[in-house]
Every structure is written in structure tokens, then in C-alpha cells.
Amino acid sequence: MILISACLAGINCRYDGGSKQIVEIEKLIKEGKAVLVCPEQLGGLPTPRIPCEIRDGDGRSVLEKSAAVYNREGANLTDCFIRGAEETLKIAKLYGVEKAILKARSPSCGKDRIYDGSFQKKVTHGDGVTAALLRKHGILVLDEEDFREYI
Ligand code: SF4
């Protein structure tokens, strides 16, 4: 089974109430290979919601409590992001997931590159909180830009 960000399957769970559907993901679902998750909803955040970014670090530093996640209005929502990552990991373990396809650049799902906390559409190096936790537990994290090379 492959863990997949629900917004890539056309589920309207993004902060703006929309999705980013990818055609090839539908095939994986129809073949019974996909488990869909939205870590931010699992963490208790509403949809739509005010966009969030990690400030002064990345998902790994959020898990280590040396960085935090804020929404654009300055509210600290770090606990929701950590809870969402932990619930996602729980689902991944229940299904014996070894690979995940997550949404690029999200403060939860992004891998290697995320928005930098300035809300200026600037990207910096690092993982989102869920991507960091899944990687810590040995799950191969891909995104919608590179998964075709591995699936
Ligand atoms: S990127 Fe991740 S957290 Fe954001 S809407 Fe998609 S699945 Fe949910």
C-alpha cells in the first residue's frame, strides 16, 4: 500500500478548500494500492483554513521542538501539525506502508523543499512535519513531481 496525500486524489482538503488532482494517482486508487490521508485534517484543523508555514526551521526541527508552525495571522498551530503527523504515521503502520506520495512544499506533506515561513511564496530546504516523521520511521517519501520514477 502507498500512503497518498488526499488532495492529490481530488479530495478538497487543502487550506483553500480545493485540491491538486493528479491523474496517475487515480489509477493507484482503482488498483487498490492507495491509502489517502490529510495530516492537517487529522490534526484537527478545519477546511478551509488560514495557510500555515514553518518558521525558523523545518519539519524535523518542529518534531524536536526547536521550530514552530504558524498560520498567516500569527497563531501557533504546531500541536495540530504534530498530532496530524502522528495520526498519519499510525495509519501508515496499520497498513504496512513503505512508500508515500505527498504534496510538494506543504508544511505537513512537503519533502526536501517547503515554504520558508515568510508567506512570500519563498521556498527553503527541508521537509514538512509529516514527511519528516514518516522518513524518521523508514518510509520512502516521494512527491507528485518525482513519484513516477519509483512507482
Ligand atoms: S498537502 Fe497534505 S495536509 Fe495539505 S491538504 Fe494535502 S494532504 Fe492535507
Side-chain angles (χ1 to χ4, degrees):
M1 295 298 272
I2 304 165
L3 191 83
I4 300 181
S5 291
C7 57
L8 297 178
I11 305 303
N12 293 319
C13 52
R14 294 189 80 220
Y15 73 93
D16 60 0
S19 67
K20 287 279 180 187
Q21 191 164 15
I22 303 286
V23 179
E24 296 97 319
I25 298 289
E26 207 181 315
K27 184 169 172 277
L28 294 172
I29 296 167
K30 286 191 174 145
E31 290 170 353
K33 294 179 179 166
V35 185
L36 303 182
V37 290
C38 175
E40 289 174 25
Q41 289 186 337
L42 285 166
L45 293 172
T47 305
R49 52 191 171 274
I50 300 164
C52 296
E53 295 188 5
I54 299 172
R55 204 187 282 170
D56 300 326
D58 68 352
R60 192 184 303 179
S61 36
V62 170
L63 293 171
E64 290 166 354
K65 308 275 163 82
S66 60
V69 192
Y70 292 87
N71 72 14
R72 200 175 45 204
E73 295 188 350
N76 185 335
L77 297 174
T78 306
D79 288 350
C80 295
F81 278 76
I82 292 176
R83 191 179 316 132
E86 288 172 348
E87 293 302 300
T88 299
L89 177 65
K90 213 186 281 179
I91 292 169
K93 285 187 171 170
L94 282 170
Y95 283 89
V97 161
E98 292 176 358
K99 287 179 195 157
I101 305 171
L102 303 184
K103 173 78 190 73
R105 293 178 287 283
S106 149
S108 293
C109 294
K111 77 159 177 88
D112 298 330
R113 294 165 75 236
I114 52 170
Y115 290 114
D116 72 351
S118 67
F119 294 96
Q120 307 282 325
K121 298 267 175 219
K122 287 188 194 151
V123 169
T124 186
H125 205 74
D127 294 329
V129 182
T130 292
L133 188 63
L134 295 180
R135 279 182 151 173
K136 193 174 161 193
H137 288 263
I139 294 171
L140 175 67
V141 176
L142 310 167
D143 64 22
E144 76 272 26
E145 293 165 3
D146 69 4
F147 77 94
R148 294 167 189 84
E149 297 166 36
Y150 299 88
I151 302 291

